[in-house]
Each structure stands twice: as C-alpha cells, then as structure tokens.
Amino acid sequence: MRDGGRVSAAIEVLTEIETRHFPVKMALKRWGEAARYAGSKDRAFVSGLVLDALRRKRSLGWMMGETSARGVVLGVLAFVWKWPAERIAEAASEEHGFGALSETEQARLKDPVSLDGAPAPVAGDYPDWLEPHLARALGADQIAEMAALSERAPVDLRINTLKADVERGAKALAPINATPAGVLPTAFRIPAPAAADRTPSVEAVPAFSKGWFEVQDLGSQIAAAVAGEVKGKQVLDFCAGGGGKTLALAAAMGNSGQIFAHDSDARRLADTIRRGQRAGVRNLQIRSPIEAQPLKGLEGKIDVVFVDAPCTGAGTWRRHPDAKWRLSPDQLAKRQIEQDSVMEDASTFVKAGGRMVYVTCSLLTEENEDRVAAFLERHPEFTVKPIALDGVTHVTPEGYLRLTPHRAGTDGFFAAVLQRSTYAP
C-alpha cells in the first residue's frame, strides 16, 4: 500500500470507532479482515496512526480547527509524525488516497491554532468531565502527566528467574534491543517505536517459548514486588485475570509455598494455566469460579492476599487510548462499588498478621486512596504498612505506591499494603 491508501484506511477505522463505538482492537481487526492485501508494515502503519490519533484527538482537532477523523489524522501526520506538507498533499492526491487538501486544511497545516488558549481537557486530551478528578489526583504535575499519557509506551519485559538468571536472560533479549529498565534487576525495556514502525516481535525470540521472560509493564512488576517477602508463604491472587502478576509472584516465591489464582471470570484463568506451565511454575493452584465455593477452606489462612482490583485503567491510556474516550461517570462510580466489594471479600482470607495488597492501574484518587480509606474505616483490624522497596522512590506520605508515566516512566499504578493485626477483631 502507498501512503495515501494507508492514511485513508486509518481515517476509515477512526470513523468507525466514532460512529459505531467499536473498541479500537475490534475496528482494526474488522479493517484487517477486509483488507487482505495489506502487509504487516501496512497494518503497523494504520494501527500506529489510529492509536496516535486517539491519544491526541482533542488537541490535534483544536490545532486543525477540525475534529473529524480526517482532521485529526492530518494533525498526527503534520505535528506528531512531522511529515512535511508536500508529502501529506502528495499522499492525499494518490490513487486510493483521501482526497485533495482543502484551502483551510493547507492553511492549518502551515499555521495551526495555538494550544495556548485551549481548555485543559483539550490541551491534555481527555473528556471534560474528568478535569476535577485528574486535577485532584495529579495536582501541579497534571499538564506534564497528561502529556506523558499521550505518548507511545515502551515494551517492558520481566526475566523469569524460575527459568533463567538475569545474565542469561539479558543475552537472550539483546537481539531485540532490550536493555535494563531500572528499579528491578529482572526488568528490561524495548523503547517505544518510531512513527509508523512496530516493536520487534517478542514472541519470535526462542527464549520466549522456553518461558525465560514475560511481557509486563515495569509498573506492574513493581506493584507485584511490593507484596514483599513471599517465599514459602501462602499467597492468593484474588483477581488473577490473565496471570501477569500471578507469575511475577510465583517467580519471587521460587516455587516454594503455595500460590492460588482466582478470578470471577473463569475464561480469563485459561491464560494463567497456559502461561504458568510455560514459566515453569510448580506451586500454582487454579481456583476457578466454575467450582462450587472455589476458595472454601482458605478463609483466614493466607499470608498475602493480592488484589489487582477491577478499575477504569486510567493509568494505561498510553497503550489503550480509546479507553479514556469510552469512560463515563457512571462507569467510574460502578468501579468504586466493585473495588469496595472485592476488598471486602478478599480480606476474609487474610490470616492474623498477614497482609492484603490492593493494586489498581488507575491514576484516580477515587479508585485508590479513597477506597483504602473507606476500607480502613470499616476494618480497624487493618492498618497501612508503608511500602519500602529498594530503588522505589514513588511512595506517598501515607506509605502508598503511586507510579505515573511522567514521574516514573511506567503505566499509572497504585498500591497499598494493609496489615491485619495479630489478634482477632
């Protein structure tokens, strides 16, 4: 495909997302199924252009004076991908292109509307209703954090110490240009790709099929690490999902003790089983909700209950930019109810002297500090155990972990460790 056809495809996909409210993955999949002629480079180009447009659609629409899919895509090409106006005009007029540029479009490409006078949600690329929530959570760093959330994200990897040590893992990852990510010795990073490019195929590395490493954001790895010493312990991953943090906890346990993986959706646990086998985990028990009372007998007996709570995912907008446009006040309120319920249920499994780790991939205070405060008010037998992890400096005065793209270079994560008293409540 030539440039014009690729750009036309991106405009088509964005229009379908806007008009039919499809998630971006579904819209791209539908286009790919209809465009069998498109090669891997074409698909990477279209996907990258669509995602960059979703990351910055309000600011680019403002700069172009046109909020349509076409206007935003032109803005990406000119102001994010830095295409010269001549290249954009040539692509527009190609066969299968997106049509000649109007005089207004040509003028905006040369002299865009300044963002200096734009409202904060426009300059920061988020819905208006989120303004007070983001201002509360991010404070003086709001502008910088929202800019960071509009950037492309790197690919982070975790070397699985059940299968390989760090030195061997690093050598295996060298061909795909993965280098140490910092903070944790097992964390490695592939930088975000340039415009229209794709990251190297991680799955194509032979060591991946051997279980030597997993794809996992650095923030997620740190959140798992705040669980503390887990070797020889009884650990319950209460909302295990696909198993990313389950596997990180299992590696830290060194196949000692016992780790139980549970999720309210049995289908999600299928990945945990498969990934656990590849990673060489031998102390994992899957407790599926298709069983009657899957966690019966574990009440009050678990050393560490890990709660990766359902949330809005507001910390992952770099990777899932369409999610911020689909989020609504009702959904935020629903997530808070779910979070309170999950914490309530999970706490029953924490033994005296044990701890519960509450984690979200959200930036919003309503899903993080507020939920912990509400839980502690209901449960005086729990207290905050301040997080102390070598190399981690992003700890709040209350002792919580708060990671953000601007401050920490990770997805947005929150974690709190809550210790249960050694006496019966």
Side-chain angles (χ1 to χ4, degrees), residues 131-416:
E131 169 60 21
H133 301 281
L134 291 170
R136 180 187 178 201
L138 301 175
D141 288 339
Q142 182 179 355
I143 294 175
E145 289 293 359
M146 297 315 297
L149 272 173
S150 297
E151 298 289 340
R152 291 188 170 195
V155 174
D156 291 338
L157 309 162
R158 178 182 58 80
I159 292 177
N160 175 25
T161 51
L162 296 177
K163 287 289 191 78
D165 59 33
V166 173
E167 184 177 357
R168 293 172 67 201
K171 289 180 180 178
L173 292 172
I176 55 174
N177 300 318
T179 57
V183 184
L184 301 174
T186 54
F188 280 69
R189 171 167 289 180
I190 303 172
D197 288 341
R198 60 193 304 180
T199 54
S201 176
V202 172
E203 290 81 2
V205 178
F208 179 80
S209 60
K210 298 176 183 178
W212 283 24
F213 61 88
E214 296 284 340
V215 177
Q216 186 177 19
D217 179 74
L218 176 60
S220 178
Q221 296 181 50
I222 295 171
V226 303
E229 181 55 57
V230 288
K231 286 187 177 180
K233 304 290 187 181
Q234 298 292 297
V235 178
L236 168 61
D237 191 349
F238 191 71
C239 306
K245 295 183 184 69
T246 305
L247 299 185
L249 290 165
M253 296 170 75
N255 274 327
S256 63
Q258 190 75 56
I259 183 165
F260 303 90
H262 168 76
D263 196 274
S264 59
D265 187 345
R267 294 169 297 181
R268 300 182 69 192
L269 290 170
D271 277 345
T272 304
I273 297 170
R274 175 183 56 80
R275 294 173 67 189
Q277 291 171 342
R278 181 171 59 83
V281 179
R282 299 192 301 273
N283 63 334
L284 173 63
Q285 284 192 32
I286 301 295
R287 295 297 182 96
S288 172
I290 63 174
E291 307 168 12
Q293 297 181 298
L295 298 175
K296 185 177 181 180
L298 299 183
E299 298 89 345
K301 296 182 179 178
I302 302 297
D303 296 293
V304 179
V305 176
F306 196 92
V307 182
D308 190 4
C311 69
T312 61
T316 67
W317 287 342
R318 298 186 302 174
R319 303 179 193 277
H320 309 291
D322 58 323
K324 63 182 170 182
W325 307 115
R326 297 200 310 269
L327 184 61
S328 69
D330 286 346
Q331 289 172 324
L332 174 57
K334 181 181 177 181
R335 288 292 176 263
Q336 293 173 64
I337 294 170
E338 292 172 343
Q339 289 152 2
D340 287 343
S341 177
V342 165
M343 291 182 77
E344 201 69 31
D345 292 343
S347 67
T348 64
F349 300 98
V350 184
K351 75 176 190 180
R355 57 192 182 273
M356 179 168 68
V357 183
Y358 175 76
V359 173
T360 75
C361 55
S362 174
L363 300 170
L364 305 179
T365 307
E366 291 82 358
E367 298 186 89
N368 298 330
E369 289 92 341
D370 286 359
R371 301 281 56 78
V372 174
F375 175 82
L376 293 174
E377 187 173 345
R378 297 191 304 271
H379 292 276
E381 71 275 19
F382 281 87
T383 56
V384 175
K385 180 179 173 62
I387 290 170
L389 189 64
D390 289 345
V392 174
T393 58
H394 306 285
V395 178
T396 71
E398 299 87 357
Y400 305 138
L401 176 75
R402 178 176 272 278
L403 302 174
T404 59
H406 173 64
R407 297 170 190 163
T410 69
D411 285 354
F413 273 93
F414 172 88

Side-chain angles (χ1 to χ4, degrees), residues 64-65 73 87 98 110 123 125 245 261 302 327 342 355 412:
M64 289 296 298
V73 165
R87 182 177 178 183
F98 46 97
K110 293 179 180 178
D125 287 293
K245 295 183 184 69
I302 302 297
L327 184 61
V342 165
R355 57 192 182 273

Side-chain angles (χ1 to χ4, degrees), residues 23-39:
V24 65
K25 283 187 178 180
M26 180 184 294
L28 286 168
K29 183 174 183 291
R30 284 168 57 89
W31 170 76
E33 290 172 345
R36 298 293 185 182
Y37 51 83

